[in-house]
Amino acid sequence: MKKSILLFVAIVLQVSIATNAQNLPFSDYNQRWVDSVFQKLTPDERIAQLIMVAAYSNRDQAHIDAISELIRKQKIGGLVFFQGGPTRQVQQTNFYQSISKVPLLVAIDGEWGLGMRLDSTISYPYQMTLGAIQNDSLLYKMGVEVAMQCKRMGIHVNFAPVVDVNNNPNNPVINYRSFGENKENVARKSIAYMKGMQDNHILTTAKHFPGHGDTDADSHYDLPLIKKSRTQLDSLELYPFRKIIEAGIGGIMVAHLSIPSLDSTKNQPSTLSKPIISNLLKNELKFSGLAFTDAMNMKGVTKHYTPGMADAKAILAGNDVLEFTEDVPKAIEEIKKAIREKKITQAEIDARCRKVLAAKAWVGLDKWKSISLTNLSKDLNTPKAKLLNRQLTEAALTLLKNENTFLPLQKLDTLQIASVSVGAEKTTTFQRMLAKYTSVQHFVISKQATTADIKKVKDALAKFDLVVVGVHVPSVRPSKNYGITENMQKALTELSSINQKVIICHLGNAYTLPKFDFSKATAIVTTYQDNTIAQELAAQALFGAVSMSGKMPVSVSPVYPLNGGLGMNSIHRLKYTMPEEVGMNSELLERRIDSMANIALTQKATPGCQVLVAKNGKIIFHKTYGYLTYDNQRPTQEDDLYDLASVTKVTTSAPALMRLSDEGKFGLDKTLATYLPEYKNSNKKDIQFRDILTHQARLTAWIAFWKETVKDDGERNHKLFRTDSSKRFPVKIVDNLWLNRKYCKKIYKEINDSPLLPEKKYVYSDLSYYLYPRLVQLQTGKPFETYLKETFYLPIGATHLTYKPLRYYPIDQIVPTEYDSLFRKTLIHGTVHDEGAAMLDGLSGHAGLFGTANDVAKMMQMYLQMGEYGGQRFINEATLKEWTRYNDVSFSRRGIAFDKPDPKSPGLSAAAASSPESFGHSGFTGTFVWIDPKYQLVYVFMSNRVYPTRNNNKLGSLNIRTGVLQTIYEVIQKGEAK
């Protein structure tokens, strides 16, 4: 009879709970399973279901044995995993579950994802960072991803989010873990994060009730005292809890706080307070989910209460689950004692036990299966999850100051830029990303830099127009002044007072902003924390590759108020990101490109190569393969300079002529003699540039000018060469070989006098490109290279595009080409491979330009954007469309200066999937560029296939360059088909 009455009371309590929680996710869930399990539990085991103990996957066997003992003998209800690694934790979880009578409820503190506790997993941004985001749907997506990762790990409860309103800058425990000081913002973001998790059956636990945001003590080490009135608490601290309860949250964690206005008992932690938990949380706020205690080993509770006694008082106060119980047998005994003393009934314990079991059923423990270790790391670190991490960080970027709209940086040719990392020990990711956009000289000032060190850097900055300062705040935690040293503060004061324009990129907790004097800075950006992704995106934002829309989630001073943030739009410079951002599968893309590149290497088609892919204005793939030479001494690197060979045509002559066309200084339907007076009496005087640039002007394909400098016996004509430079012999062919200054005239005359082919047909010819540097200089009054750099390369930040690279770069940064056994009789390394260009002092319109894949991509992206890049227009859209369309397919597939897909033989000159709108060019040394407006695609392939001999044509015969391009199209199309 007594048993029936107790069961009836438990059922009534359960019905009451369900009635009060219309939105509670797990109420009434699989009651058949709940009833079945419950009936098999002894009264002691029902108490044990309310206990979760701490587990660590990075501890020894003794720890595992201790946990196993608690599971086998005490029948505890759950585990809270702390530090460790995913594989070890899954192995332990499987073992612990296998020995447990009832499946264990597994929890984790994952406020910013699994990375908060586990190595080799993703750490999403801190909640302060998330508080700056204006698009709350991103937080929902984060909740979804965290839920997926938890489920993959066999985790059922996430002790997150923190819904405390942090309105105390000196808060030692919440601080950056809060969404901020605005209660509405905290509530909105908490609910978004919660729904993302709970919609995927991960029980979410809001903390730390009734609000830990306005404390200056850490409850891990003491019992914080909150002196606020009930009215104050209602208006602020309780607001987010009230809203998230209304939204249906399944769990609330109660903090260890002393709050006299809610419970006047001296030294009474809120965790042990019936007025706070039963009366306020459950009755008044109508929360009927699981009330969890904060860790029961924290000083906030153990300072005044012993283990066991504290656990019992927590249950009496109304908590449903005890977290981190230190002495389980004693806790159970003390709770049993409370039942005997009628301080609580067994029926109340049973109702809470059934609620725990319902939650277990809802998270899937009614159908528990062992967790597979196969692909665990891969599943926890998906590209989708990594992309979301980048998107969250980007959305939080906050522009706090921007005098005269100085950002985003434009007209890069007018700026000499230096970067200084303060608080770092070596060149940072932030600095390396800056250098992808233009030439930047780097300096570092460590935390312990001396006055002399600071002065040395400051003096070196005098020659620069702009100084970009990365402030690397040592710690996100407020203790010990966030790790900020006096030397750091002094260095930043010094840097802020220089005469040049200064951009501050603050990488750290927003509360540290007032600790530095940035009043004289031209622009200030904050990222709220310092990690690789934040550094990368902050650097990109300065150049306008990404926008900035974040708003300050806290007020740290009148200069940096709540909701401060100016906002800034992108100006469409190339962004560096992941394939998933443009709908492509990164794993598939890399695997397919790797396969083609490895074929090239194993077949010795080239000793090394680079592949760069940009889509939708975003570089989503840039990878190097192999080595510079076949001796495998030096791997290829992203900043290597390649001899572009005929890609020179579309990076020098073509843009120059298009620009002159826009300015009325060049016309496609004009003749050669129009701009070059020496051709007025030539057989070529009436040839139009449209025919010349589409290779149908009857010009000879090429002339081996070098052969005329060699005698019949193979020896050089010593009247033309010297082993050292002089006024008469200033033209460097290679080291120890200098050509007579007048020989260039012979080259031009030979071109002038060369015969025309008998009929008009497609014959690819280099000859006219020898003439364009002179044509451009006549029309502009500037040397060809100067014109190119001033007009295109420097403004777009392509500072590595250059002729004669040894003037600016060490030889080990330049990729060698061929061992020339006939003319130069040496390895060609640092000078142009093409003999004709070499005889023109390394500078011609058809060959001679060197550059990195990254900088070539900028020129190609400018073409893709129809002549515009970085907020500047370089070529008119109509001009680019004219030059890149099919000119006359009855003669050839060519556009004007550009190659195009062959409509008669798809796959011959480009990938079979290339659209008719696409265009590009190849280079003899093994280079290739392709632009496809239909797919918003830029492709750059770099190699030195002519090393050590040009007779190696495997790169072409194996279709490596176009084969890689074809795979890129296939991955794009596969993504579009989804």
Side-chain angles (χ1 to χ4, degrees):
M1 181 68 180
K2 184 177 180 182
K3 185 176 179 180
S4 299
I5 293 172
L6 289 175
L7 181 60
F8 174 76
V9 171
I11 293 171
V12 169
L13 285 170
Q14 189 67 21
V15 170
S16 174
I17 288 168
T19 303
N20 288 337
Q22 295 178 353
N23 296 320
L24 188 66
F26 56 83
S27 58
D28 296 325
Y29 195 88
N30 196 351
Q31 287 301 299
R32 179 176 295 180
W33 182 84
V34 172
D35 292 341
S36 173
V37 174
F38 178 82
Q39 294 298 336
K40 296 173 184 176
L41 298 178
T42 67
D44 283 12
E45 290 171 351
R46 295 170 194 172
I47 295 172
Q49 282 298 300
L50 312 184
I51 296 175
M52 303 182 84
V53 300
Y56 298 79
S57 59
N58 62 352
R59 293 190 178 178
D60 58 14
Q61 187 62 40
H63 173 74
I64 296 174
D65 292 344
I67 299 297
S68 303
E69 185 81 355
L70 292 172
I71 294 171
R72 286 191 173 105
K73 290 192 173 181
Q74 303 300 326
K75 305 296 192 297
I76 56 173
L79 301 173
V80 185
F81 272 101
F82 289 89
Q83 290 86 3
T87 299
R88 289 164 289 164
Q89 181 168 315
V90 165
Q91 290 171 332
Q92 290 183 22
T93 298
N94 283 338
F95 171 67
Y96 293 145
Q97 293 284 23
S98 71
I99 63 173
S100 182
K101 179 177 179 178
V102 178
L104 297 160
L105 195 65
V106 178
I108 195 171
D109 276 304
E111 295 164 21
W112 50 88
L114 299 183
M116 181 173 174
R117 295 298 185 189
L118 301 178
D119 61 36
S120 311
T121 56
I122 291 176
S123 287
Y124 288 105
Y126 299 141
Q127 288 191 194
M128 175 185 280
T129 309
L130 300 175
I133 295 174
Q134 300 305 294
N135 178 7
D136 292 342
S137 67
L138 286 172
L139 277 80
Y140 178 86
K141 292 179 180 178
M142 175 180 157
V144 171
E145 287 300 320
V146 171
M148 295 299 101
Q149 292 161 21
C150 285
K151 291 172 80 170
R152 184 64 182 85
M153 285 289 299
I155 296 169
H156 317 107
V157 181
N158 189 7
F159 291 143
V162 172
V163 302
D164 303 316
V165 180
N166 197 86
N167 55 348
N168 185 339
N170 298 317
N171 193 319
V173 62
I174 303 304
N175 200 287
Y176 66 95
R177 296 165 62 198
S178 166
F179 288 118
E181 69 180 63
N182 179 278
K183 63 183 183 182
E184 288 89 358
N185 190 41
V186 170
R188 286 196 310 271
K189 288 179 167 55
S190 298
I191 291 169
Y193 186 17
M194 174 271 288
K195 284 186 175 295
M197 288 187 281
Q198 288 197 173
D199 284 354
N200 291 278
H201 281 242
I202 291 296
L203 188 63
T204 305
T205 306
K207 58 188 184 185
H208 305 80
F209 186 82
H212 209 320
D214 193 7
T215 63
D216 54 14
D218 186 341
S219 53
H220 291 86
Y221 307 107
D222 203 350
L223 179 61
L225 174 65
I226 295 182
K227 298 179 181 179
K228 290 191 171 184
S229 68
R230 173 61 195 268
T231 301
Q232 290 174 312
L233 293 169
D234 271 339
S235 67
L236 187 65
E237 277 80 1
L238 290 174
Y239 178 86
F241 287 100
R242 186 177 292 111
K243 290 297 181 182
I244 204 165
I245 289 169
E246 291 172 0
I249 192 159
I252 296 286
M253 178 181 284
V254 184
H256 305 309
L257 304 169
S258 175
I259 313 173
S261 64
L262 298 180
D263 187 339
S264 60
T265 308
K266 187 177 181 180
N267 296 326
Q268 177 83 298
S270 45
T271 336
L272 312 185
S273 169
K274 190 167 186 176
I276 291 175
I277 300 170
S278 294
N279 297 348
L280 175 58
L281 177 61
K282 292 190 168 183
N283 296 333
E284 186 176 334
L285 298 183
K286 301 191 182 305
F287 174 69
S288 52
L290 291 178
F292 293 82
T293 68
D294 207 341
M296 295 299 289
N297 70 328
M298 293 166 62
K299 292 295 183 182
V301 65
T302 63
K303 184 175 181 179
H304 301 286
Y305 297 90
T306 60
M309 181 195 300
D311 298 289
K313 284 185 69 66
I315 292 294
L316 295 176
N319 288 290
D320 299 299
V321 182
L322 304 170
E323 183 214 346
F324 212 139
T325 294
E326 290 190 287
D327 190 331
V328 173
K330 193 169 184 180
I332 293 175
E333 187 53 45
E334 288 291 337
I335 295 169
K336 289 169 62 177
K337 180 181 177 184
I339 296 172
R340 291 195 300 270
E341 294 177 353
K342 302 188 184 307
K343 295 178 180 178
I344 189 170
T345 66
Q346 182 65 46
E348 290 176 283
I349 296 294
D350 290 350
R352 294 181 200 180
C353 175
R354 293 177 65 85
K355 186 161 55 167
V356 169
L357 292 175
K360 287 187 174 185
W362 182 77
V363 298
L365 285 171
D366 55 343
K367 301 178 183 68
W368 178 82
K369 292 181 181 179
S370 179
I371 308 153
S372 171
L373 288 169
T374 304
N375 295 325
L376 178 62
S377 179
K378 180 180 176 182
D379 293 344
L380 296 177
N381 296 277
T382 65
K384 181 182 177 184
K386 292 177 181 178
L387 174 61
L388 177 61
N389 207 2
R390 298 185 69 87
Q391 291 171 328
L392 291 163
T393 303
E394 180 179 333
L397 294 174
T398 304
L399 179 60
L400 296 172
K401 183 179 181 181
N402 194 17
E403 285 185 359
N404 301 317
T405 59
F406 188 64
L407 293 180
L409 294 173
Q410 299 184 62
K411 298 182 179 178
L412 302 181
D413 52 319
T414 66
L415 299 171
Q416 294 291 319
I417 305 175
S419 73
V420 185
S421 283
V422 179
E425 299 301 319
K426 58 184 180 180
T427 303
T428 62
T429 297
F430 174 69
Q431 291 175 300
R432 288 190 291 273
M433 182 57 74
L434 291 174
K436 286 184 179 288
Y437 287 94
T438 190
S439 179
V440 181
Q441 188 168 334
H442 304 312
F443 301 89
V444 174
I445 297 177
S446 73
K447 290 187 294 182
Q448 306 304 330
T450 65
T451 300
D453 294 334
I454 297 168
K455 183 179 186 304
K456 184 178 179 181
V457 171
K458 185 178 178 183
D459 291 345
L461 297 175
K463 65 180 181 180
F464 296 94
D465 307 307
L466 171 64
V467 178
V468 180
V469 181
V471 183
H472 298 268
V473 180
S475 174
V476 74
R477 302 178 186 278
S479 60
K480 297 182 181 179
N481 198 35
Y482 295 88
I484 298 167
T485 64
E486 290 184 13
N487 289 355
M488 276 188 69
Q489 291 173 308
K490 181 178 180 181
L492 287 163
T493 299
E494 291 284 320
L495 292 174
S496 297
S497 65
I498 61 178
N499 294 325
Q500 298 93 319
K501 291 185 181 297
V502 175
I503 297 173
I504 297 292
C505 189
H506 175 264
L507 299 146
N509 191 314
Y511 285 123
T512 65
L513 279 162
K515 296 182 180 295
F516 308 104
D517 181 5
F518 297 149
S519 59
K520 295 182 180 179
T522 304
I524 304 171
V525 174
T526 188
T527 64
Y528 304 97
Q529 60 190 97
D530 187 5
N531 57 41
T532 297
I533 297 175
Q535 290 187 38
E536 286 183 0
L537 289 167
Q540 295 189 50
L542 301 187
F543 289 95
V546 301
S547 60
M548 289 189 277
S549 60
K551 300 287 186 182
M552 284 282 285
V554 293
S555 177
V556 298
S557 76
V559 178
Y560 308 112
L562 179 68
N563 294 322
L566 302 174
M568 186 200 80
N569 293 325
S570 163
I571 55 171
H572 307 298
R573 280 202 177 93
L574 281 167
K575 177 182 180 181
Y576 299 82
T577 185
M578 301 171 57
E580 279 69 21
E581 187 163 340
V582 296
M584 297 172 69
N585 183 306
S586 56
E587 182 183 357
L588 178 62
L589 181 67
E590 184 165 20
R591 185 173 71 246
R592 298 285 297 276
I593 294 177
D594 284 357
S595 177
M596 291 296 298
N598 288 329
I599 290 172
L601 300 184
T602 56
Q603 294 295 315
K604 293 190 180 300
T606 178
C609 62
Q610 289 192 38
V611 177
L612 184 150
V613 183
K615 186 173 182 341
N616 300 350
K618 301 170 179 66
I619 292 180
I620 48 93
F621 187 91
H622 187 186
K623 189 170 180 179
T624 64
Y625 300 88
Y627 296 81
L628 298 193
T629 58
Y630 288 111
D631 60 9
N632 294 356
Q633 292 298 305
R634 213 287 250 144
T636 56
Q637 297 173 0
E638 286 188 4
D639 62 351
D640 287 337
L641 278 82
Y642 287 79
D643 182 331
L644 300 182
S646 282
V647 171
T648 298
K649 296 182 175 75
V650 296
T651 46
T652 64
S653 299
L657 295 177
M658 283 190 278
R659 178 65 171 252
L660 292 178
S661 176
D662 290 340
E663 295 171 349
K665 298 176 182 178
F666 177 80
L668 287 171
D669 297 318
K670 300 292 184 179
T671 63
L672 201 59
T674 304
Y675 304 112
L676 297 171
E678 61 268 32
Y679 280 83
K680 287 184 177 179
N681 297 315
S682 167
N683 60 351
K684 304 172 185 65
K685 64 179 180 180
D686 295 326
I687 298 176
Q688 293 182 329
F689 281 101
R690 186 180 297 275
D691 286 337
I692 293 171
L693 288 163
T694 51
H695 302 282
Q696 55 191 40
R698 300 166 56 203
L699 295 179
T700 302
W702 69 293
I703 300 173
F705 300 107
W706 69 272
K707 289 186 177 181
E708 298 181 16
T709 69
V710 178
K711 299 177 183 179
D712 293 340
D713 60 4
E715 292 297 315
R716 299 190 192 98
N717 184 338
H718 293 292
K719 292 181 180 179
L720 299 177
F721 297 100
R722 292 290 185 272
T723 58
D724 202 353
S725 63
S726 68
K727 188 175 182 180
R728 288 181 59 212
F729 294 86
V731 179
K732 181 179 179 180
I733 304 298
V734 289
D735 288 342
N736 303 320
L737 187 62
W738 299 78
L739 179 64
N740 188 291
R741 59 191 171 93
K742 293 183 179 180
Y743 197 80
C744 64
K745 294 181 180 179
K746 180 174 175 56
I747 291 175
Y748 293 132
K749 186 176 187 307
E750 199 164 346
I751 293 172
N752 194 324
D753 295 343
S754 62
L756 294 175
L757 299 176
E759 60 178 332
K760 184 177 180 179
K761 62 179 181 179
Y762 170 62
V763 175
Y764 185 85
S765 174
D766 279 345
L767 294 189
S768 73
Y769 285 90
Y770 284 79
L771 309 178
Y772 297 136
R774 172 168 161 71
L775 186 156
V776 170
Q777 183 164 357
L778 287 173
Q779 293 300 306
T780 66
K782 294 180 180 180
F784 190 52
E785 183 178 23
T786 301
Y787 178 77
L788 289 168
K789 288 186 174 181
E790 290 181 355
T791 308
F792 299 104
Y793 305 159
L794 297 181
I796 69 172
T799 55
H800 291 85
L801 293 182
T802 185
Y803 287 98
K804 299 189 285 187
L806 286 173
R807 294 174 295 171
Y808 310 109
Y809 300 98
I811 195 167
D812 61 3
Q813 194 178 340
I814 303 168
V815 179
T817 51
E818 183 180 18
Y819 182 87
D820 181 359
S821 61
L822 299 175
F823 175 40
R824 289 157 286 193
K825 299 182 180 179
T826 189
L827 175 67
I828 310 304
H829 191 183
T831 55
V832 61
H833 175 262
D834 183 89
E835 298 92 344
M839 296 171 76
L840 292 175
D841 201 20
L843 193 153
S844 179
H846 76 290
L849 194 70
F850 286 72
T852 62
N854 187 59
D855 280 359
V856 169
K858 294 172 188 176
M859 284 294 290
M860 300 308 109
Q861 186 65 29
M862 182 267 287
Y863 291 152
L864 182 63
Q865 293 175 184
M866 289 293 113
E868 195 170 21
Y869 189 80
Q872 291 179 256
R873 177 157 292 283
F874 296 91
I875 300 168
N876 288 337
E877 182 175 352
T879 302
L880 254 170
K881 287 184 175 179
E882 173 68 8
W883 282 57
T884 57
R885 68 175 178 84
Y886 286 109
N887 187 65
D888 188 344
V889 292
S890 64
F891 280 98
S892 78
R893 66 176 185 263
R894 294 271 171 176
I896 299 168
F898 293 94
D899 200 357
K900 289 184 68 65
D902 192 331
K904 300 174 183 176
S905 302
L908 178 64
S909 58
S914 299
S915 76
E917 298 89 353
S918 65
F919 55 96
H921 215 286
S922 60
F924 186 78
T925 54
T927 56
F928 188 77
V929 295
W930 203 254
I931 303 99
D932 196 329
K934 177 181 178 180
Y935 294 96
Q936 286 294 293
L937 175 67
V938 166
Y939 165 59
V940 179
F941 185 96
M942 295 288 211
S943 76
N944 56 332
R945 68 97 190 165
V946 294
Y947 179 89
T949 173
R950 70 182 66 192
N951 295 327
N952 178 9
N953 193 36
K954 289 183 179 178
L955 196 72
S957 63
L958 293 169
N959 292 322
I960 298 297
R961 292 177 291 186
T962 53
V964 171
L965 179 58
Q966 179 65 24
T967 67
I968 294 166
Y969 280 116
E970 290 170 0
V971 177
I972 291 173
Q973 291 164 352
K974 190 175 288 287
E976 290 177 343
K978 288 185 177 181

